[in-house]
Amino acid sequence: MASTSFFRASSSSSTPSMAAPKIYDVFLSFRGKDTRYTFTDHLFQALVKRGIRTFRDDEQLRRGEAIAPELLKAIEDSRSSVIIFSENYAHSRWCLDELVKIMDCQKDVGHTVFPIFYHVDPSHVRNQTGRFGEAFVGYEENLKDNVKVGRWRTALREAGNLSGWHLQLQDGYESNYIKKITNRIFRQLNCKRVDVGTNLVGIGSRINKVNLLLHMGSNDIRIIGIYGVGGIGKTTIAKVIYNELSWEFEYMSFVENIGKISNTQPGLLLLKNQLRDDIQYGDRGATMIKKKVFIVLDDVDHFEQLECLLGNGGWLGEGSRVIITTRNKHLLTVQRVDDMYEVPELNFGEAKELFNLYAFQQNVPKLEFINLSHCMIDYCQGLPIALKVLGSLLFNKTIPQWESELHKLEREPEMEIHNVLKRSYDGLGRTEKNMLLDVACFFGDEDKDFVSRILDGCNFHAEIGLKNLNDMCLITIPYNEIQMHNLIRQMAWEIVREDYPHKPNKWSRLWDPCDIDSALTTYKGIRGMTSLRLLKVHSGFFAYMSNHVCSYKTYNGIVKKASKMKLGMDFEFPSYELRYLCWDGYPLKFLPSNFDGENLIELHLRCSNIKQLWHGNKYLERLKVIDMSHSKKLIQMPEFSSMSNLETLILYGCVSLIEICPSIGVLKKLTTLDLRLCVKLKCLPSSIINLEALVVLDLSGCSRFDKFPEIQGNMRSLKELRLYGTAIRELPNGIDLESIEILDLRFCFKFEKFPENGANMKSLKQLYLEHTAVKELPTGIANWESLPILALSYCSKFKKFPKKIGNMKSLKLLRLIYTAIKDLPDSVGDLEYLEVLDLSNCSKFQKFPKMVGNMKSLKELRLNNTVVKDLPDSIGDLENLKVLDLSSCSKFQKIPEKVGNMKSLKVLCLNNTAVKVLPDSIEDLENLEVLDLSSCSKF
């Protein structure tokens, strides 16, 4: 006779703690005539619903006197036994033989035993009294095998001493007990647990965050998404949570590797059937019944998978929880999950611990490997899969072998890591694939707007494409800067190289200086790259610079590196499809004669050897940016008439540039003109007035620039005008200053006079006049309501402030150090937001305004080295003043009595003054930390 039993193995069920796999979780031992169709049947059904693999014998097996060998084998193949001691249990020799076998397995193989005392006293079982005693009276009278009877008694005594459940008639509903019994068995046996592996570093904090999103105390239905790049630990987190929480649910299912399995036929159908079986749907064609379930849908990569497996979730019962893991954040948005969690990279400490566990099989590295291990950890950038793979690979390897692997990784990724990451690439559309490769090869940590401009020029629809790459966790865009994990970047490089690993001239993209050198110096190779869209010969030096600043050392480094590339005068490269050309230190005097920039969007030739870009006119209608920074041999720029869409022109540090072509006036879209340190430039063409869109004009360091062209109000978009260190004397009267936000005239030693309309600078936020020859400010400076800082330090000819300045509501800092000013207007007392007033070393300043009590925000007042004699009583109203510096005021004699009201004062400097006595109220300065009276000869 064959036995009937319940057994369901799913791909999600594994029990790593077992020495050998078992067929069943539970073997049921019971007296059929007592409980087969009542309690035992109800318990069996409950165990099965919880996914606990349960053996229940067939009634047909219990024939004859000897226990069937199938039952003995079933006990051996079970992880545990549930023994239901009922009134007539001991009257069955079959049951007693089962019990002996069960207790033997408990001793020999760690078989777990759960006794249930069903309407019987546990002491009757232990001591063989009551109905159990009656059975043994008969055995001892009728059986001649005393050894067997003794074994039965021993088994009952041992089982009766085990912790279990005692069910009595008055205890209420059996269903409540069955639920408790099922839950305990489920937890204790770890039924339906999934394998999470070992070395779970940093998992705790991540699990806690997901658990918070699950709201386990709520009876709502919650669907949570976990997303992140491949190999970041999404599945591991979901597995641990599943193992910890699934026992609280009546039904549960972990559907693993959905993306991979769905690609096979009929993969998705198999997964759907697994889910139905796990949650006991009933017939596969039946209507769904709402149940409280815990489901993990792992590694989803297409929305149709969610539609098939989850649908709209209407079949989920109250209290249900669903976790979806994916590399694609957008799938979670479309599914309208209740919350989502992005798995972060491991921090350095976590990464170090995880790597060490695999590389050294301990928490700390071997002393001689510390530096090498840190290099490996830096390379992995917190990606768990990389730390595990490389750690395992390097286990028990020598230092030279570690060093060799590091050098190899600089050029070639470890394929196990590469294949994990490449799955995300394979899931992209054609356009997104191209965008990812472009970003990886050319745009590391670049401004999103800049990258979008280039990608749009390639007809890639950057806005939606970058959003998709971000959703796929292949890039991040913090603070509008596109960033990419180094291992994803290396994965992309390998994709470009993989078909022709040693022939860069056949690649779709060139970015590495060594590969570029190899390809460019192979004449036919570079010439054959007819689809070349982006070319970046990057020195690497500019990666660490801000605002295009280039030191002498950096410039020499770029030129030296570029000079190693030997290019003949007849050098050419295909340029018709070119959208972006960046070549630091370009070594030739001109671009190739065949250069065709019709589709070019940005041209960057920093630190180049260019004297003139090209001869004649080129059709460059799509060109938006030209950057020739530090091209020291550049003499002149070409005609601008064919560049009508140019937005940015950077000629910073072009020290040989003498003039700007008058055709610049046609550039109606130009917003930035950077001419810093063009030291031979003396003036700008009058056509500059036609630059209606110009926002930034920077002539800082143009030491020979001495005259601004007359402007008739056309430059109304101008916000930044920087003339630092020029030879300019004045601004033209026709210039419209109303839109100016930043005006920098520092070190313009010859600058004397503001234009008459200077008072109209209502948008002014930064005004720098230090080290100029300015004598006065416009009388209407009260209109400068947006100005927070006014600095006139070292303006030795500046003598007088306009009378009305009280409306400068935004002014926080007023510096007049080393000016010739004698006094301040009374209206200065109305500057209620002023925080710092600095008149240090104003040797002619002798009188402070009388009414300053409204300066409630003033924190620092510095009058050191002035000739001021006293301060007004209203000085005591400055409740927020922290620093009062009167040091070296040789004529200052008396501190006002109200000084005691300045409760915030911390520093009072009176050294080298003529002070004779301090007011009594000085004792009220409870926060005073420094009182300096040194060298006060009269004190």
Side-chain angles (χ1 to χ4, degrees), residues 705-706 708 723 726-731 745 748 750-751:
F705 185 82
D706 59 4
F708 216 94
L723 299 166
T726 62
I728 196 166
R729 295 177 180 272
E730 62 182 2
L731 295 175
L745 290 157
C748 293
K750 297 179 181 180
F751 185 79

Side-chain angles (χ1 to χ4, degrees), residues 11 24 45 80 84 95 171 183 234 288 324 374 417 428-429 445 448 529 559 583 601 642 644 715 773 888 905:
S11 61
Y24 310 109
Q45 296 298 334
S80 69
I84 304 170
C95 287
D171 284 342
N183 283 343
K234 305 179 294 296
M288 305 178 207
I324 302 168
H374 283 183
I417 302 169
L428 298 174
D445 299 338
K448 180 193 171 191
M529 298 179 68
V559 172
W583 195 324
I601 296 168
S642 63
S644 59
M715 299 171 69
S888 298
L905 195 65

Side-chain angles (χ1 to χ4, degrees), residues 28 54 97 157 193 205 257 282 302 398 433 535 546 568 575 611 634 693 830:
L28 282 180
T54 307
D97 285 340
R157 183 171 60 253
R193 288 175 69 86
S205 61
N257 292 322
H302 286 95
T398 65
K433 285 181 177 178
L535 179 59
S546 61
S575 56
K611 285 189 174 181
L634 183 70
D830 296 324

Side-chain angles (χ1 to χ4, degrees), residues 68-212:
E70 293 97 326
L71 290 180
L72 296 176
K73 184 69 166 61
I75 294 170
E76 292 173 354
D77 287 340
S78 298
R79 299 171 60 200
S80 69
S81 290
V82 173
I83 307 167
I84 304 170
F85 291 116
S86 57
E87 186 176 18
N88 296 301
Y89 186 91
H91 288 271
S92 168
R93 283 181 268 176
W94 192 295
C95 287
L96 293 173
D97 285 340
E98 276 182 4
L99 178 63
V100 169
K101 179 65 175 178
I102 289 169
M103 299 313 292
D104 286 345
C105 287
Q106 183 202 36
K107 297 170 189 172
D108 297 339
V109 295
H111 188 91
T112 305
V113 178
F114 300 100
I116 298 173
F117 304 98
Y118 185 74
H119 299 168
V120 297
D121 192 321
S123 66
H124 291 178
V125 177
R126 285 193 299 272
N127 304 319
Q128 295 89 59
T129 56
R131 290 285 291 167
F132 282 74
E134 293 174 8
F136 273 86
V137 169
Y139 294 143
E140 288 169 348
E141 290 178 354
N142 301 320
L143 286 180
K144 305 300 182 183
D145 192 346
N146 292 330
V147 174
K148 175 174 277 195
V149 173
R151 292 178 66 192
W152 289 345
R153 284 187 180 278
T154 299
L156 284 168
R157 183 171 60 253
E158 291 173 349
N161 281 317
L162 295 175
S163 173
W165 297 271
H166 184 196
L167 275 72
Q168 302 180 70
L169 286 171
Q170 64 270 27
D171 284 342
Y173 294 109
E174 289 183 352
S175 59
N176 293 332
Y177 268 99
I178 288 174
K179 186 174 183 180
K180 292 177 182 178
I181 293 167
T182 305
N183 283 343
R184 179 178 164 189
I185 293 172
F186 186 92
R187 288 197 302 272
Q188 190 161 336
L189 296 183
N190 292 329
C191 295
K192 291 202 69 177
R193 288 175 69 86
V194 289
D195 184 11
V196 296
T198 57
N199 300 335
L200 301 181
V201 176
I203 199 82
S205 61
R206 291 155 177 81
I207 289 171
N208 289 339
K209 289 179 180 178
V210 177
N211 282 340
L212 289 174

